[in-house]
Amino acid sequence: MGVVEWKGSQLFHNGEPVQILSGALHYFRVVPEYWEDRLLKLKACGFNALETYVPWNFHERKPGQFRFDGMADVERFIQMAGELGLFVIVRPSPYICAEWEFGGLPSWLLADSEIRLRCLDEKFLNRVDSYYDELLPRFKPLLYTNGGPVIALQIENEYGSFGNDFRYLEYIRQAMIKRGMDVLLFTSDGPTDSMLQGGSVPGAWATVNFGSGTKEAFAKLRQYQPDQPLMCMEYWNGWFDHWGEPHHTRDAADVSTVFEEMLEERASVNFYMFHGGTNFGFWNGANCQLKDQYEPTVTSYDYDSLLSESGEPTDKFFAVRDSIARYKDIGKLKLPEPMGTRAYGEVVLTEQALLFAQADRLSAPVRRTNPEPMEKLGQDYGFIAYSTWISGPRAKQKLTIQDVRDRALVYLDGKLQGVLERGKPELSAAFEVPEEGAELTILVENMGRINYGPYLRDPKGITEGVRHGFQFLFGWTIHCLPLDDLSSLRFGPAAIADSPSFYRGRFEVEEAMDTFLRLDGWTKGVAFLNGFNLGRYWNIGPQHTLYVPAPLLRQGSNDLIIFELHGTANEVVTFVDTPDLGPADKE
């Protein structure tokens, strides 16, 4: 039986002092065919441990329906790391943040208006217990005490930045212990008084998260934990991007300098991130520290980390490896063969399907007196369309959606009247209604639930009433549009259209290699390759290409569908061999 434990201010592995040098790598942001490549590069850089979150919503999309295959096969991912001789640190939710949709919480929790998140609420804890009953037994044979690679599990995540319910944290700790998690249990929080007070748990190891200010951060941790080992559980060596902002980068020399400050303190370190990967599908989260400042995260989770989004070592990789080599013998550099990239050129999208004409093919309509949010209708992600009839004639008046989550396209008899967007009061829609009346349709996009901060509870769609002038509108027909199955669409020849449409094209591939989808001339939407949701695009940037891993391509014919919200004058996309994540904003 092996063990990693602390004695005084030192970590020990089977009785010998050990320093954990770890890198964060999320299995749910990387196609499984590339897990081994990324793990080999983690080890080649000189790290001795892997850290990963476990997002609850990725494994339990519907209540009681669990998934642990394909990209969700966390057990295989951990086993693979162990076979390569790496320790594994697991951060198993219920909440993870991670710039991930709803911080890893399942959207269906919001169907119950009374449930309280991340506290000692019976309804919430019953759901957590059901999830843990499925998840934690899967980890038991992987624990270090049972011969596996998992040396530590986290209790919640950065709880001190959210609340101070100590009974809740102790409940989560005991929930792990009762299910046989007999390895090191820890917490991680920012290095401030309130965060360490609110997030620490008696009997658990406290760690801190920061990107600079090493001495100050560890000094604050020592005030609360004077006789235990030091660890930076999240060393922020890069950062994530929001739509409409510059691409964040950080100088490699600065990253290695701060890292060496931690090594001089004999601290353990986990790089967040070693490899960021991609927010495929609708899995990106959003930030909202102030109520009217909603900031959705882009599809790329490159994070300016040690490996690029496509897995290539960056300058930061080599700078960090050199830093580690100054403190311990890590041998000669041995990297897997480069994957390589390819530009497949232009693809003409020759077919088209109008969304509103085929909404009934995508979902059965439901009727409600009031517009209701996605979660009340059993929908998790994607889009939702609300339609109602307005009698006429009526003078021109403003349309008000009292709470739109997050971006709404407003149509009257199929003609766009305006775009409304959360936190942007300068956007508006106003129209008159002809004598014969008109059909009002509002298409709302869920751009990602908030993953951090005080506004975590974030239902999507229209969550309150809709008014034309001062009059509330009732009698709605609603189409849930998660876009998780497009096989029912019927395509015709492509034509210029200014309403939401699906465009389809096919292209041939002789040899599958990584590539990047460029959508110049398109405005906003989602791309699907061979049925796989590559993620969102938006011409406001910073990101202008979508990463396409080679395993998603087929030798021979490939099917590409673009769901475009605003139309395009040129139904052509391009596969290029280099990414474009936007102009850099040096940190």
Side-chain angles (χ1 to χ4, degrees), residues 257-327:
T257 296
V258 174
F259 175 45
E260 291 197 30
E261 292 173 0
M262 299 186 218
L263 295 178
E264 290 168 5
E265 294 268 8
R266 298 182 180 179
S268 293
V269 185
N270 176 53
F271 275 69
Y272 192 96
M273 299 288 299
F274 171 75
H275 172 52
T278 308
N279 296 316
F280 293 117
F282 297 124
W283 290 113
N284 68 279
N287 283 84
C288 190
Q289 289 290 79
L290 300 175
K291 190 170 184 180
D292 294 326
Q293 291 186 1
Y294 173 78
E295 300 173 306
T297 304
V298 303
T299 299
S300 171
Y301 201 65
D302 176 88
Y303 211 88
D304 191 43
S305 53
L306 280 65
L307 298 185
S308 69
E309 184 178 10
S310 57
E312 295 306 310
T314 64
D315 290 345
K316 204 171 285 184
F317 175 97
F318 297 104
V320 169
R321 189 180 192 279
D322 289 344
S323 293
I324 296 174
R326 283 193 279 273
Y327 286 81

Side-chain angles (χ1 to χ4, degrees), residues 509-567:
V509 167
E510 292 185 6
E511 180 184 10
M513 297 180 68
D514 284 2
T515 188
F516 303 89
L517 177 61
R518 191 167 189 100
L519 294 117
D520 296 335
W522 300 75
T523 302
K524 191 180 196 303
V526 188
F528 302 85
L529 177 65
N530 296 324
F532 184 91
N533 188 333
L534 295 174
R536 310 171 200 264
Y537 64 89
W538 197 355
N539 64 358
I540 66 171
Q543 177 178 359
H544 293 292
T545 54
L546 293 176
Y547 172 51
V548 181
L552 299 181
L553 292 165
R554 302 169 182 156
Q555 187 173 12
S557 180
N558 289 264
D559 187 87
L560 178 68
I561 294 177
I562 305 295
F563 176 53
E564 165 62 39
L565 290 167
H566 296 277

Side-chain angles (χ1 to χ4, degrees), residues 122-199:
E122 184 178 1
K123 289 184 176 182
F124 180 64
L125 294 178
N126 285 342
R127 292 298 192 179
V128 173
D129 281 332
S130 295
Y131 171 56
Y132 274 7
D133 284 342
E134 179 69 31
L135 177 71
L136 295 185
R138 295 174 179 272
F139 289 153
K140 195 163 184 178
L142 301 172
L143 300 180
Y144 210 72
T145 47
N146 294 323
V150 177
I151 60 171
L153 283 87
Q154 179 170 287
I155 301 168
E156 242 274 358
N157 180 58
E158 294 185 322
Y159 187 72
S161 64
F162 177 80
N164 68 347
D165 191 339
F166 305 114
R167 294 185 303 163
Y168 164 64
L169 290 180
E170 179 60 19
Y171 187 98
I172 297 297
R173 175 175 175 266
Q174 290 298 330
M176 293 181 174
I177 293 172
K178 290 175 183 176
R179 292 168 176 83
M181 301 297 103
D182 58 352
V183 293
L184 191 61
L185 300 181
F186 68 93
T187 59
S188 67
D189 287 281
T192 70
D193 289 309
S194 64
M195 292 181 183
L196 285 166
Q197 289 168 22

Side-chain angles (χ1 to χ4, degrees), residues 67-99:
R67 178 194 170 201
F68 290 93
D69 62 347
M71 285 184 72
D73 194 347
V74 60
E75 296 158 275
R76 176 171 167 248
F77 181 67
I78 292 172
Q79 290 166 349
M80 194 177 293
E83 290 166 0
L84 295 176
L86 294 167
F87 296 126
V88 177
I89 299 169
V90 177
R91 305 168 80 181
S93 42
Y95 166 81
I96 64 171
C97 184
E99 291 72 58

Side-chain angles (χ1 to χ4, degrees), residues 226-494:
D227 300 319
Q228 294 180 16
L230 296 173
M231 182 164 187
C232 178
M233 187 53 68
E234 290 186 16
Y235 172 35
W236 304 320
N237 57 90
W239 206 245
F240 54 91
D241 295 337
H242 295 133
W243 289 112
E245 298 177 1
H247 171 51
H248 291 86
T249 62
R250 183 175 177 183
D251 183 71
D254 179 49
V255 167
S256 59
T257 296
V258 174
F259 175 45
E260 291 197 30
E261 292 173 0
M262 299 186 218
L263 295 178
E264 290 168 5
E265 294 268 8
R266 298 182 180 179
S268 293
V269 185
N270 176 53
F271 275 69
Y272 192 96
M273 299 288 299
F274 171 75
H275 172 52
T278 308
N279 296 316
F280 293 117
F282 297 124
W283 290 113
N284 68 279
N287 283 84
C288 190
Q289 289 290 79
L290 300 175
K291 190 170 184 180
D292 294 326
Q293 291 186 1
Y294 173 78
E295 300 173 306
T297 304
V298 303
T299 299
S300 171
Y301 201 65
D302 176 88
Y303 211 88
D304 191 43
S305 53
L306 280 65
L307 298 185
S308 69
E309 184 178 10
S310 57
E312 295 306 310
T314 64
D315 290 345
K316 204 171 285 184
F317 175 97
F318 297 104
V320 169
R321 189 180 192 279
D322 289 344
S323 293
I324 296 174
R326 283 193 279 273
Y327 286 81
K328 68 175 187 175
D329 181 14
I330 56 175
K332 293 183 179 180
L333 177 62
K334 296 180 180 179
L335 287 170
E337 287 296 315
M339 297 286 186
T341 60
R342 175 161 295 183
Y344 293 101
E346 291 187 347
V347 175
V348 180
L349 305 177
T350 59
E351 299 174 276
Q352 183 180 18
L354 300 176
L355 172 66
F356 296 140
Q358 303 207 32
D360 287 346
R361 290 185 176 275
L362 293 171
S363 72
V366 295
R367 290 171 176 81
R368 296 288 189 273
T369 299
N370 294 284
E372 293 191 357
M374 288 183 174
E375 298 80 4
K376 294 289 187 181
L377 300 171
Q379 182 180 352
D380 45 16
Y381 314 114
F383 299 77
I384 186 167
Y386 303 85
S387 297
T388 191
W389 182 262
I390 307 180
S391 60
R394 298 187 183 210
K396 185 175 183 179
Q397 297 187 80
K398 182 179 178 181
L399 184 83
T400 300
I401 304 176
Q402 293 197 176
D403 191 15
V404 61
R405 307 283 183 90
D406 301 296
R407 187 173 187 267
L409 279 64
V410 179
Y411 295 88
L412 195 70
D413 284 343
K415 294 182 180 179
L416 183 65
Q417 304 298 312
V419 178
L420 305 179
E421 194 171 320
R422 181 178 184 176
K424 294 189 176 180
E426 68 275 14
L427 299 179
S428 64
F431 51 83
E432 62 183 28
V433 180
E435 184 174 355
E436 62 272 20
E439 183 180 53
L440 171 68
T441 299
I442 304 172
L443 177 65
V444 182
E445 178 183 2
N446 166 1
M447 293 201 295
R449 291 182 183 84
I450 294 166
N451 57 256
Y452 179 85
Y455 302 103
L456 190 64
R457 189 181 192 89
D458 191 20
K460 295 301 185 180
I462 297 176
T463 63
E464 293 187 30
V466 177
R467 290 183 285 114
H468 187 232
F470 290 102
Q471 187 182 80
F472 281 99
L473 304 178
F474 296 100
W476 294 87
T477 298
I478 306 173
H479 285 86
C480 296
L481 303 167
L483 305 190
D484 48 10
D485 181 3
L486 304 182
S487 61
S488 61
L489 290 173
R490 297 295 178 263
F491 287 86

